[in-house]
């Protein structure tokens, strides 16, 4: 099964609609040892097709608008954070302590972009967080699994580099592989808000849909950024004591409003938002929101007919279900970093039962593809849930769940390189070699905002009659009121 067939099937789409998809191939887009280009195409394609389907239903069109996948647009969007410029300034990427480190027997990958994660990393090692050399020396004295366990116990973030074989034997990997790419559940509650018919140009399939965005970092915000592109009223709500990284917020904040809300102190305000929401998207580790009564079941009970979309790093199952995680950590743990890294006789990951793996330098995908890909799939699942509510004439609630680790499993074992003519109706063309770090202006735009003059990647979700850009630029984090417009 090709990537888009698998993705479209995963979100419950009608396979007959795949004939509405065309692709423009660009050699060199998202080059990697693993089929990253195919994953990116598939996720964006499923999202665009789901948007076109919902738009056709709401506008009463005789057929679903045609979808065009352009490798250049997709590849540019998958590294949107690299193209972002704010008043000519490039964004801050990974912090100095977020990287691979050699250990006594292999490698570990740490994530310390947020201040509280940096503090926990340094505290667990007994060093000052502003001293990278001391961090490296402390890690070099320990085994990678020892570091992984110590960081988890301290609330920090570090995982041991594993080979695909080592990961496949891990209990969490076994649990992940047993699950579908997209998990679907229906609730017993019925009361979805009726959405009006659409008219006008551009066609905005999610117009009038209220999306409560409880996500952070990349995957969840990419999903809600896409729903905002398609017309949804997206309100992102963060805890005031957990400010977002400024450049990350700018990159993923297009089309949305941003507010802060203390769930413990401002519960009434949150319940008012929930009562009028159509969709709630959550991006915290499983169980983290349960203490606030924000599990999918609790949300559905209080807001009948609600669509809940849940995203996590490792999944809501298995021994790692409560662990924090990010794209870079999932790449390291699942064997992706080993596959994409340099191999040689010197340097190795931990010795396994099959002998030491010759990885002299861990690698990475050409984009944070697990984040971006899962984000577009999550948006696709929400759009398909809205279509199902309309098509069945009832408002039964739904819950969809995705995990970065499951997307990683799909990338490594479920996608094959797409042969020419395998996507949709096979309309394809070729261009010169594509360099994702130097994308031509056709896939970039500039505009003024409250944050300054922005250069940014245009959305890759494209269908006939659909929007080509967000209606509004990102604003200041937390500056909006916690209410629907």
């Amino acid at each position: 099964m090709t990537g888009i067939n698998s993705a479209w099937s995963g979100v419950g789409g009608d396979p007959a609609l795949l004939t509405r998809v065309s692709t423009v191939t660009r050699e060199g887009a998202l080059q990697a040892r693993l089929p990253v280009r195919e994953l990116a195409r598939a996720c964006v394609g499923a999202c665009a097709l789901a948007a076109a389907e919902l738009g056709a239903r709401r506008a009463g069109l005789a057929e679903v608008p045609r979808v065009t996948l352009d490798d250049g647009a997709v590849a540019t969007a998958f590294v949107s954070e690299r193209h972002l410029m704010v008043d000519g300034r490039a964004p801050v990427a990974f912090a100095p302590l977020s990287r691979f480190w050699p250990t006594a027997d292999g490698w570990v990958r740490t994530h310390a972009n947020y201040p509280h994660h940096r503090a926990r990393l340094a505290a667990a090692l007994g060093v000052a967080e502003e001293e990278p050399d001391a961090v490296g020396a402390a890690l070099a004295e320990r085994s990678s699994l020892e570091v992984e366990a110590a960081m988890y116990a301290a609330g920090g973030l570090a995982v041991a580099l594993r080979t695909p074989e080592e990961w496949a034997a891990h209990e969490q990997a076994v649990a992940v592989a047993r699950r579908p790419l997209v998990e679907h559940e229906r609730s017993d509650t019925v009361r979805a808000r009726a959405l009006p018919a659409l008219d006008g140009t551009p066609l905005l399939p999610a117009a009038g849909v209220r999306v409560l965005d409880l996500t952070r970092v990349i995957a969840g915000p990419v999903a809600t950024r896409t729903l905002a592109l398609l017309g949804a009223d997206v309100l992102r709500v963060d805890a005031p004591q957990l400010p977002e990284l400024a450049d990350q917020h700018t990159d993923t904040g297009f089309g949305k409003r941003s507010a802060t809300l203390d769930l413990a102190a401002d519960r009434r305000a949150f319940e008012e938002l929930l009562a009028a929401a159509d969709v709630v998207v959550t991006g915290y580790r499983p169980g983290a929101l349960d203490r606030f009564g924000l599990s999918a079941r609790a949300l559905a009970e209080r807001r009948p007919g609600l669509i809940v979309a849940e995203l996590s790093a490792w999944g809501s199952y298995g021994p790692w279900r409560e662990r924090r995680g990010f794209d870079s950590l999932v790449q390291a743990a699942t064997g992706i970093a080993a596959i994409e890294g340099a191999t040689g006789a010197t340097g190795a990951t931990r010795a396994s039962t099959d002998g030491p793996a010759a990885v002299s330098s861990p690698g990475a995908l050409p984009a944070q593809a697990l984040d971006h890909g899962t984000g577009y799939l999550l948006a696709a699942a929400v759009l398909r849930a809205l279509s199902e509510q309309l098509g069945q004439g009832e408002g039964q609630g739904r819950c969809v769940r995705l995990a970065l680790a499951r997307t990683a499993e799909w990338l490594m074992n479920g996608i094959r390189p797409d042969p020419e003519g395998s996507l949709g109706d096979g309309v394809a063309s070729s261009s010169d070699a594509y360099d994702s770090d130097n994308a031509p202006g056709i896939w970039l735009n500039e505009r003024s905002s409250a944050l300054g003059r922005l250069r940014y990647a245009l959305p890759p979700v494209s269908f006939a009659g659909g929007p080509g850009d967000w209606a509004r630029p990102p604003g200041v984090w937390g500056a909006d009121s916690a209410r629907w417009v």
Side-chain angles (χ1 to χ4, degrees):
M1 181 178 290
T2 61
I4 193 169
N5 284 324
S6 181
W8 187 236
S9 173
V11 298
D14 178 358
L17 292 181
L18 288 169
T19 60
R20 308 300 296 166
V21 181
S22 302
T23 185
V24 178
T25 63
R26 310 276 182 181
E27 293 303 321
L30 298 173
Q31 284 188 317
R33 292 173 179 170
L34 290 165
V36 180
R37 180 177 67 170
E38 287 75 11
L39 176 138
R41 279 179 182 167
C43 296
V44 172
C47 185
L49 190 53
E53 178 192 26
L54 178 60
R57 285 184 183 274
R58 294 188 63 190
L61 302 180
E63 61 181 2
V64 171
R66 296 199 64 84
V67 168
T68 300
L69 291 174
D70 190 312
D71 283 346
V74 172
T76 302
F78 263 58
V79 290
S80 59
E81 64 276 7
R82 298 183 202 167
H83 293 296
L84 178 68
M85 298 286 284
V86 182
D87 285 335
R89 175 187 62 81
V92 177
F94 285 101
L97 298 187
S98 295
R99 47 166 285 193
F100 277 106
W101 304 84
T103 62
D105 64 346
W107 298 87
V108 293
R109 181 62 162 87
T110 57
H111 194 288
N113 285 2
Y114 289 94
H116 57 294
H117 292 155
R118 286 196 294 274
R120 292 169 186 170
L121 170 66
L125 296 175
V127 299
E129 60 182 273
E130 64 272 12
E131 297 179 2
D133 290 344
V135 171
L139 290 172
E141 295 175 352
R142 308 185 186 191
S143 73
S144 51
L145 290 180
E146 179 186 359
V147 171
E148 181 180 272
M151 287 302 158
Y152 172 66
L157 289 157
V159 299
L161 176 72
R162 289 172 170 83
T163 65
E165 295 76 19
E166 287 174 320
W167 175 246
H170 194 280
E171 189 177 351
Q172 186 63 31
V174 173
V176 166
R178 288 174 176 165
R179 300 293 177 125
L181 180 62
V182 182
E183 297 184 74
H184 301 261
E185 290 181 8
R186 293 195 181 194
S187 69
D188 295 330
T189 60
V190 178
R191 199 195 74 199
R193 187 167 60 92
L195 297 175
L198 297 178
D199 55 18
T201 303
L203 181 62
L204 298 174
V209 175
R210 297 186 184 121
V211 178
L212 192 54
D213 180 358
L214 306 180
T215 70
R216 291 174 67 80
V217 196
I218 298 177
V222 163
T224 52
R225 180 182 70 181
T226 303
L227 295 174
L229 167 75
L230 300 170
D233 178 9
V234 178
L235 177 62
R236 173 168 165 171
V237 175
D238 286 280
Q241 69 272 20
L242 289 176
E244 182 58 286
L245 302 175
D247 291 333
Q248 194 163 266
H249 166 72
T250 302
D251 179 47
T252 59
F254 283 86
K256 311 178 195 178
R257 291 178 298 117
S258 169
T260 60
L261 198 64
D262 187 324
L263 292 180
D266 301 321
R267 193 49 183 255
R268 181 176 178 179
F270 178 82
E271 293 300 328
E272 289 175 353
L273 290 172
L274 176 62
D278 302 297
V279 179
V280 174
V281 185
T282 67
Y284 293 80
R285 60 191 171 90
L289 296 176
D290 289 7
R291 67 183 184 276
F292 298 108
L294 301 182
S295 68
R297 178 171 296 181
L299 290 169
E301 288 175 351
R302 300 205 302 282
R303 169 61 178 92
L306 185 71
I307 295 170
V308 180
E310 295 184 328
L311 170 75
S312 63
W314 307 106
S316 57
Y317 39 77
W320 282 18
R321 61 186 177 275
E322 295 183 353
R323 294 198 177 196
R324 299 172 178 85
F326 294 92
D327 180 302
S328 58
L329 300 183
V330 176
Q331 288 192 41
T334 59
I336 290 174
I339 291 173
E340 296 294 337
T343 59
T346 61
T349 60
R350 290 180 328 285
S352 69
T353 55
D354 297 323
V359 180
S360 59
S361 178
L365 299 177
Q368 294 186 72
L370 304 181
D371 265 335
H372 286 271
T374 306
Y376 287 109
L377 269 183
L378 190 67
V382 169
L383 295 166
R384 286 248 57 260
L386 289 166
S387 284
E388 289 175 358
Q389 285 185 335
L390 288 175
Q392 295 170 3
E394 49 86 357
Q396 189 173 31
R398 287 158 170 77
C399 178
V400 294
R401 294 188 182 90
L402 290 90
L404 302 186
R406 184 60 183 84
T407 303
E409 159 69 20
W410 181 45
L411 173 63
M412 292 193 295
N413 300 308
I415 301 178
R416 66 175 185 268
D418 290 323
E420 186 175 344
S422 67
L423 276 176
D425 64 7
V427 175
S429 63
S430 298
S431 73
D432 295 333
Y434 174 84
D435 180 354
S436 62
D437 288 325
N438 295 287
I442 188 174
W443 299 307
L444 302 173
N445 195 20
E446 291 192 16
R447 69 198 301 180
S448 297
S449 76
L451 303 172
R453 184 71 177 173
L454 303 180
R455 186 195 74 175
Y456 59 96
L458 287 166
V461 173
S462 177
F463 57 93
D469 200 348
W470 290 273
R472 52 176 288 172
V476 177
W477 179 86
D480 296 298
S481 299
R483 61 180 178 82
W484 298 114
V485 295

